[in-house]
Amino acid sequence: MYRSKVQGGSVVLVETLSKNFFLYLSKNKVLNKSAKRWGLKLGAAQVVAGVSVASVVKVVKALNEKGLVCTVDHLGEFVLNREEAIESTNICIETLEAIATTGVNCNLSLKLTQLGLDIDRKLCVENILRILEVAKKNHNFIRIDMEDYAHYHQTLEIFRELRRKYNNVGTVIQAYLHCAQKDLESLKGIPLRLVKGAYKEAPEVAYQKKEQIDENYMKLIKQHLLTGSYTAIASHDHEIIAKVKRFCIEQQIPKSQFEFQMLYGFRTDMQERIAKEGYTMRVYVPFGNDWYGYFMRRLAERPQNVSFALKGFFSK
């Protein structure tokens, strides 16, 4: 209804302002602290699977029963002391043990900042090594999520160090970054999640126009697939998904070499349809009381998400 009233450039302007607004809110430490006291309100309960390990395992089990596999993420941002970093590490380990005990089809995603990257690099590395050892023992896989550009090079540097010893770890490449193709080439053969990118970055380091980002995204997907590398395509864009399907059929790339990924709570009908078509469909399931930054970035990505959140809030 709103789009019918605003045409052309005005729509783009409104969407840009909306995105910038929610990205700004996502970095507000005061609001983040307050959000922990609110609980999963403002619609967040629709996209965050509770605050405990038990709650997220319950959600994963239900998704598995629908033919969907998962990756879970214990949300954590603005980790500014050693105690919080160690606590986050322990929860990641607890999550891996719960996955192994219950037998759910699921792996683990995490951010290096929640393990102490902004406090002490050595501490962060020690924490991720603890997690990787537990994952290795339980035959599980760890995905290191990519964060904003300020942490980009550090994340890749640590990731490359980890890959020298562990093959059960992957990371993420963001298509909106100018350096994405170069870094993708250097990670040939490594399982990667490819995304468009969800942070607000400067024009000097990232494409700003949707058309450019989409074009680069498809280029990266094709490039990684053609090297024989396992590729996770994380997108809710049905056009992108259709293009990937056609490309893989044309190039005779087996379904076992790639998977689609979507966020918990979004486009659930499409998720189940993709799984029924015989593709691996992995759902990214976040949990924990530090949900605020994640939720704000989801609202920033698409204007439709705002009405989705409000609908959930007022239906309570």
Side-chain angles (χ1 to χ4, degrees):
M1 181 176 70
Y2 183 76
R3 282 177 174 268
S4 66
K5 297 179 181 178
V6 185
Q7 299 297 323
S10 298
V11 172
V12 175
L13 175 61
V14 170
E15 292 183 357
T16 300
L17 290 173
S18 174
K19 178 177 181 179
N20 291 342
F21 174 68
F22 285 108
L23 287 177
Y24 169 78
L25 292 181
S26 74
K27 296 183 178 182
N28 189 300
K29 296 180 182 179
V30 175
L31 290 176
N32 181 73
K33 186 176 181 180
S34 298
K36 292 180 181 180
R37 297 195 297 268
W38 297 338
L40 294 174
K41 297 179 181 178
L42 301 177
Q46 296 183 88
V47 298
V48 177
V51 298
S52 68
V53 173
S55 66
V56 76
V57 168
K58 182 178 179 181
V59 168
V60 169
K61 184 177 180 181
L63 291 169
N64 285 171
E65 290 172 353
K66 295 179 179 180
L68 306 166
V69 299
C70 298
T71 184
V72 298
D73 173 23
H74 176 248
L75 298 170
E77 301 192 30
F78 309 118
V79 173
L80 300 175
N81 61 65
R82 299 177 68 89
E83 292 73 22
E84 289 178 335
I86 292 171
E87 179 185 10
S88 183
T89 301
N90 290 338
I91 294 175
C92 286
I93 290 172
E94 180 187 351
T95 303
L96 285 169
E97 297 286 11
I99 290 170
T101 300
T102 59
V104 292
N105 192 336
C106 182
N107 55 41
L108 179 71
S109 293
L110 55 81
K111 293 179 175 61
L112 293 184
T113 53
Q114 72 187 104
L115 304 184
L117 183 59
D118 288 336
I119 305 164
D120 178 9
R121 187 184 189 280
K122 182 180 178 183
L123 170 68
C124 175
V125 172
E126 288 174 352
N127 287 335
I128 185 63
L129 287 174
R130 286 180 58 205
I131 293 169
L132 282 169
E133 280 297 324
V134 175
K136 182 179 179 181
K137 179 189 73 174
N138 291 314
H139 308 288
N140 211 329
F141 180 82
I142 302 298
R143 176 81 63 188
I144 297 178
D145 286 342
M146 194 56 72
E147 304 182 61
D148 61 5
Y149 191 72
H151 298 95
Y152 179 77
H153 295 292
Q154 276 185 296
T155 300
L156 281 186
E157 183 181 280
I158 292 172
F159 173 69
R160 288 188 172 102
E161 291 178 13
L162 297 172
R163 283 291 303 188
R164 296 189 187 112
K165 183 177 179 181
Y166 298 92
N167 61 8
N168 65 324
V169 59
T171 191
V172 179
I173 292 294
Q174 300 157 312
Y176 66 176
L177 294 180
H178 297 317
C179 60
Q181 184 173 1
K182 177 183 176 182
D183 289 324
L184 187 76
E185 291 172 356
S186 71
L187 298 172
K188 175 183 175 181
I190 294 176
L192 297 175
R193 176 195 294 149
L194 303 184
V195 303
K196 293 183 183 181
Y199 294 87
K200 180 174 174 56
E201 304 293 359
E204 291 76 19
V205 301
Y207 297 110
Q208 304 296 305
K209 295 181 179 179
K210 181 182 184 301
E211 295 78 11
Q212 292 176 309
I213 297 171
D214 286 356
E215 181 181 355
N216 201 43
Y217 188 41
M218 277 306 304
K219 182 191 298 183
L220 298 180
I221 292 169
K222 293 177 180 179
Q223 179 180 326
H224 205 54
L225 284 169
L226 288 174
T227 64
S229 308
Y230 191 82
T231 307
I233 300 99
S235 176
H236 299 100
D237 188 329
H238 63 278
E239 293 183 358
I240 292 287
I241 292 170
K243 288 179 181 178
V244 171
K245 290 177 180 177
R246 287 196 298 270
F247 178 77
C248 290
I249 291 172
E250 292 167 0
Q251 298 297 321
Q252 298 183 326
I253 296 171
K255 291 179 178 178
S256 58
Q257 193 193 314
F258 65 97
E259 65 184 49
F260 294 107
Q261 295 189 358
M262 291 187 188
L263 301 172
Y264 172 64
F266 294 96
R267 309 207 75 167
T268 54
D269 290 344
M270 181 182 286
Q271 292 176 13
E272 293 178 30
R273 184 166 64 252
I274 289 172
K276 288 177 181 177
E277 291 173 351
Y279 296 97
T280 300
M281 179 70 243
R282 189 175 303 277
V283 183
Y284 183 99
V285 187
F287 74 102
N289 67 353
D290 200 359
W291 53 268
Y292 173 79
Y294 171 85
F295 186 51
M296 288 300 110
R297 286 193 295 277
R298 299 294 78 77
L299 296 183
E301 284 175 342
R302 301 172 72 234
Q304 298 94 318
N305 291 349
V306 179
S307 59
F308 171 80
L310 291 175
K311 179 180 178 182
F313 177 65
F314 287 113
S315 67
K316 296 294 183 285

